[in-house]
Amino acid sequence: MSEKATQPKIASREVTTHILKAFGLRMSKKLGQNFLIDAGIVQGIVDAAQIEPGDRVLEIGPGIGTLTQGLAEAGADVTAVELDKKLPAVLAETLKGYDNVRIVPGDILKVNIPEIMGDAPFKVAANLPYYITTPILMALLERHLPITHMVTMVQKEVALRMVAQPGGKDYGALSVAVQYYTEPEIVLDVPPRSFIPAPEVDSVVIACKVRETPAVTVQSEKMFFRVVKAAFGQRRKTLANALKGGGLPKEQVRDAMEQAGIDPTRRGETLSLAEFAKLADAFSAMPQ
Ligand code: SAM
């Protein structure tokens, strides 16, 4: 029998506790370490990412290898970036026998992803460290990497913002960015007891299928996100005032809104992606 087939599933309370003890590991709150102990959830992430043998997968924060093992078992070629310097030595042991896993020590916000993943399409799967969920998601989306699917475990409250529609309190710059680049769908509710230690918040697995072309066409992506950021920067103000306060040329705001057919007394949180696109294009057409 190959060594791989004899490896116990890490995703259980017993095995995880055993590994933590054996390596004398103390979990770091600062690094957002909450390790999964539910094999059903690991499988849920693997299924949501529609992993096929040979798929290239970037995992963020493998921890002690819980999700990594599930991905490797499904036949993925996994590249896992881990910031905690203590963990690569642990992973070398817990994932011994999987020749389809590569651990890259480092900070996901600093590593050169094209350098480690190359040009071919890949998927992202991760139980994210919650203290930097938004920066990680934004970095992955904005860089136009050849990602096809992004399946991540995030705080429920963040996922609700990612899928929010115009008009509600959850709708904001993150909703627009995620929906501009992807089609997000919440696929699993995950209670705190699925982790060691149990986090104080509820979690969900959210699957984001990356669109081949963004949801709306804009002349300048930079202007689109500038407008979006300004619109949500001061949520209590009318859109016209929020745009002025957010650094768009004051003298252009009224004209741009008129050209885009948007009532200046509306609030940013009521605009659809298509309306943001129209507004951004109106600004783009004006002298910079
Ligand atoms: N994948 C494991 C699991 O599901 O049990 C661990 C998930 S734990 C929520 C998040 C992991 O991300 C930890 O292993 C932590 O050390 C790692 N991490 C934190 N910040 C990171 C960063 N900036 N870059 C890469 N990994 C990071």
Side-chain angles (χ1 to χ4, degrees), residues 31-36 59 61-63 82-83 107-108 127 131:
L31 289 179
Q33 292 183 344
N34 299 91
F35 295 163
L36 264 171
E59 187 191 353
E82 175 57 62
L83 179 59
D107 181 341
I108 191 64
N127 171 14
Y131 74 106

Side-chain angles (χ1 to χ4, degrees), residues 9-282:
K9 271 206 171 88
I10 304 168
S12 79
R13 184 174 293 279
E14 293 69 31
V15 177
T16 296
T17 312
H18 173 78
I19 293 170
L20 294 175
K21 261 205 193 128
F23 289 92
L25 289 174
R26 294 193 48 204
M27 319 257 314
S28 159
K29 205 169 174 176
K30 204 175 108 219
L31 289 179
Q33 292 183 344
N34 299 91
F35 295 163
L36 264 171
I37 52 167
D38 184 331
I41 304 292
V42 168
Q43 193 56 45
I45 297 175
V46 171
D47 291 345
Q50 299 171 21
I51 300 295
E52 308 260 353
D55 273 356
R56 292 151 25 79
V57 176
L58 170 66
E59 187 191 353
I60 297 149
I64 55 172
T66 317
L67 173 60
T68 327
Q69 184 183 41
L71 295 163
E73 288 280 347
D77 248 316
V78 189
T79 300
V81 179
E82 175 57 62
L83 179 59
D84 187 338
K85 289 194 174 66
K86 293 191 300 296
L87 292 177
V90 177
L91 288 159
E93 218 28 62
T94 58
L95 298 176
K96 200 160 67 183
Y98 294 97
D99 56 8
N100 49 345
V101 175
R102 176 170 59 129
I103 305 298
V104 177
D107 181 341
I108 191 64
L109 296 177
K110 295 193 184 139
V111 294
N112 184 334
I113 298 174
E115 202 171 286
I116 59 170
M117 295 306 293
D119 299 333
F122 64 93
K123 295 177 175 176
V124 171
N127 171 14
L128 288 176
Y130 291 170
Y131 74 106
I132 41 168
T133 303
T134 306
I136 292 176
L137 292 172
M138 291 310 295
L140 293 172
L141 293 171
E142 281 172 356
R143 289 180 201 171
H144 292 273
L145 300 162
I147 299 171
T148 57
H149 293 76
M150 238 169 54
V151 179
T152 54
M153 173 90 70
V154 300
Q155 232 173 292
K156 186 171 189 169
E157 173 236 308
V158 174
L160 294 177
R161 281 165 41 209
M162 292 164 74
V163 300
Q165 294 299 309
K169 68 169 178 26
D170 289 331
Y171 186 64
L174 181 67
S175 328
V176 174
V178 167
Q179 294 168 35
Y180 175 79
Y181 291 112
T182 80
E183 293 171 73
E185 188 191 351
I186 293 176
V187 291
L188 275 178
D189 272 305
V190 186
R193 65 170 183 277
S194 301
F195 305 86
I196 290 182
E200 281 152 21
V201 293
D202 285 328
S203 302
V204 301
V205 174
I206 183 163
C208 296
K209 188 172 180 300
V210 180
R211 299 173 186 273
E212 280 180 14
T213 50
V216 289
T217 308
V218 288
Q219 281 171 35
S220 155
E221 216 162 72
K222 198 168 153 212
M223 179 60 87
F224 178 72
F225 285 110
R226 198 169 145 201
V227 168
V228 169
K229 213 170 140 201
F232 289 110
Q234 292 151 303
R235 296 179 73 111
R236 282 157 189 248
K237 293 193 173 174
T238 61
L239 181 56
N241 286 336
L243 294 173
K244 287 179 194 161
L248 284 140
K250 289 190 176 42
E251 64 288 358
Q252 293 181 354
V253 167
R254 196 154 281 273
D255 284 350
M257 294 189 77
E258 201 177 295
Q259 273 176 36
I262 294 164
D263 179 344
T265 62
R266 281 176 65 182
R267 284 172 202 278
E269 69 218 46
T270 66
L271 263 64
S272 66
L273 266 67
E275 288 176 314
F276 274 120
K278 265 197 211 155
L279 186 55
D281 281 353

